Structure formats: structure tokens, C-alpha cells
Amino acid sequence: MDLSLSDLGDGLSSESQSEEETCQDKELVAAIMKRRAPPPLITTAVWERYYFADCEIKIKESTEFYGAVVWPSALVLCHFLETNQDKYNLADKNLIEIGAGTGLVSIVTSILGARVLSTDMPEVLGNLRYNLTRNTRGRCRHEPVVKELTWGVDLEEKFPRSSTHFHYIMAADVVYSHPFLEELLATFDHLCEDNTVIFWTMRFRFDKENKFVDRFQTLFDLELIYDLPSMKIKLYKAMRRKVGTETNRVE
């Protein structure tokens, strides 16, 4: 098959673009992973140490619950929020984190000035509250609040739309192989107003994640902020889709 100069040029351009994207991915991942420091060799507690917003953050983990460890998606979200404060200023903004787990995202957003409501299942709230108290006391203008939130359950009773208003919703690695994806979508839908901004990081593991992204886009406009193939993580920004507008599908 004969190739024209333009065909060769397109091929070289695609290859060059791919190499550039790979390099950018590696550089960004390296910057993100530098935020985590190894714990001391001798310690009586299971904890991890991170650096965000000019603060050392110590997180106590638990191997008893899936949500009680720090997943890489949380680091990606925290890095983005800290390095984009000029565009997304969290100071004095009402913010809720769903599936907060160990609380790293809630801690960082509190330090960045937000009024944070940190939520998760009842069994992880004790460890979540401990980490928030330990890492935000004396560092924040607004003390973060911890509250139980079981996705899809008693949403109007616990978070009445008439009095619950959030500028931002944060979610890190809340989509995985669990049977509550419809309840999670209902929770996003209930908490999100027309002007609420959702930041959502997600590690792609199975086809179920892709299907959730499709379902999510029936209600929300989605914008891809970061794509980190080496971590299999994507960071999305979302807002409620305006009635009557067409959806530009994001993978």
C-alpha cells in the first residue's frame, strides 16, 4: 500500500501526540504521588502521611472496611483542588463529600477554606471523625462536620432540599463493584442544584464503571479534567444538565 506524505505526517503527528500525552501523564502522576510520604518504620498505629496546602496530614487507616483506606483517586482530587485554587476558590463555600472514607479530601478542602460536610456509612464515621479532628484543629476557618449518609436512604429527611445548598460535591472512588450504583446516582441527583459543581475521581476497574458513567450523563453534563492512564484514573467535573440541551458524551 502506498502512503502519501500527508499520511506519513498524520502518523508521525499521532505518534508524537501520544508520546507527549504519556510524558504528561508520567509527570502529573509523579507530582501527585510525591504528596505521600512513607510512614516511620517503627509505629504502633496504621497511618499514612501526606502533604497538601502546606500542611502535613496524618491519616489513620483501617483494614476492616473498604472505605477506611486512602485510595489514589483521593490524591488526584486533592492535588487538583490545591493547584487550581485560582479557578476554583473553595473559601467559604458549602461543600459535601460523599463516601469520605478516611477523610483526606474533606481535610484538604477544609484547610483550603470550605465549609465541609463529610459523609459516609455509619461504620467508618468514628475513624473519619478522628482524622478530621486531628488534622483540621487550628488550621481551618470552618470546622468540618461529620454526618452519616447511606446512599439513597432518607435523603429528603436528612438533607432537605429546601435548606440544603452545596456549591461543591466531592467524590473520590465511589464507583466500584458494589450493588448501590443506582442509589449513588440518586444521591448525586438529590444533593445537586443547578449551579452545584461536582468533582469526581474514578478508577476504572470493570465494565460496570463505564455503564455508570453513561447513566450519570443522563442527568449531568460531564467534562474530563484529568485522564491518567497509568493509574487508570479519570477526574471529571460535572453540573446538572439543563433541560432540553443535548448531551456531549464523555468517555
Side-chain angles (χ1 to χ4, degrees), residues 13 46 49-50 62 90 99 107 110 116 126 133 138 185 193 206 243-244:
S13 177
V46 181
R49 190 169 40 148
Y50 303 90
S62 171
L90 301 183
I107 292 165
S110 292
V116 174
T133 301
L185 185 60
E193 298 180 293
F206 307 104
V243 176

Side-chain angles (χ1 to χ4, degrees), residues 17 35 88 98 114 142 147 154 178 186 199 207 217 240:
Q17 183 178 4
R35 303 303 192 117
Y88 302 104
I98 61 176
H142 308 290
K147 185 173 181 177
D154 299 329
H178 61 71
F199 284 118
D207 188 53
Q217 290 185 89
R240 182 176 294 283

Side-chain angles (χ1 to χ4, degrees), residues 89-146:
N89 183 0
L90 301 183
D92 301 322
K93 299 296 191 299
N94 297 327
L95 181 154
I96 183 171
E97 183 184 6
I98 61 176
T102 60
L104 179 61
V105 174
S106 290
I107 292 165
V108 172
T109 52
S110 292
I111 294 172
L112 293 177
R115 296 185 179 92
V116 174
L117 180 59
S118 187
T119 70
D120 211 315
M121 301 282 284
E123 58 266 26
V124 302
L125 293 186
N127 190 60
L128 173 61
R129 187 174 288 107
Y130 173 83
N131 283 328
L132 261 66
T133 301
R134 176 176 182 171
N135 289 285
T136 63
R137 183 177 294 156
R139 290 176 167 177
C140 306
R141 67 173 77 186
H142 308 290
E143 182 179 351
V145 175
V146 174

Side-chain angles (χ1 to χ4, degrees), residues 20-165:
E20 182 179 352
E21 289 174 351
T22 300
C23 183
Q24 291 174 345
D25 173 48
K26 289 181 178 179
E27 290 176 355
L28 183 54
V29 170
I32 291 169
M33 297 313 294
K34 280 182 180 179
R35 303 303 192 117
R36 178 183 180 273
L41 294 177
I42 301 175
T43 179
T44 58
V46 181
W47 58 270
E48 299 285 348
R49 190 169 40 148
Y50 303 90
Y51 293 94
F52 288 102
D54 298 322
C55 293
E56 180 186 67
I57 299 170
K58 290 184 177 181
I59 297 291
K60 182 181 177 183
E61 297 186 325
S62 171
T63 57
E64 297 179 10
F65 305 107
Y66 185 87
V69 296
V70 177
W71 299 101
S73 293
L75 302 185
V76 173
L77 182 51
C78 290
H79 178 84
F80 170 78
L81 294 170
E82 182 185 353
T83 56
N84 288 273
Q85 294 180 68
D86 55 337
K87 190 172 183 180
Y88 302 104
N89 183 0
L90 301 183
D92 301 322
K93 299 296 191 299
N94 297 327
L95 181 154
I96 183 171
E97 183 184 6
I98 61 176
T102 60
L104 179 61
V105 174
S106 290
I107 292 165
V108 172
T109 52
S110 292
I111 294 172
L112 293 177
R115 296 185 179 92
V116 174
L117 180 59
S118 187
T119 70
D120 211 315
M121 301 282 284
E123 58 266 26
V124 302
L125 293 186
N127 190 60
L128 173 61
R129 187 174 288 107
Y130 173 83
N131 283 328
L132 261 66
T133 301
R134 176 176 182 171
N135 289 285
T136 63
R137 183 177 294 156
R139 290 176 167 177
C140 306
R141 67 173 77 186
H142 308 290
E143 182 179 351
V145 175
V146 174
K147 185 173 181 177
E148 176 189 343
L149 171 53
T150 302
W151 298 336
V153 177
D154 299 329
L155 294 175
E156 181 58 29
E157 178 184 338
K158 295 182 178 179
F159 302 89
R161 279 180 166 151
S162 61
S163 58
T164 302
H165 308 287

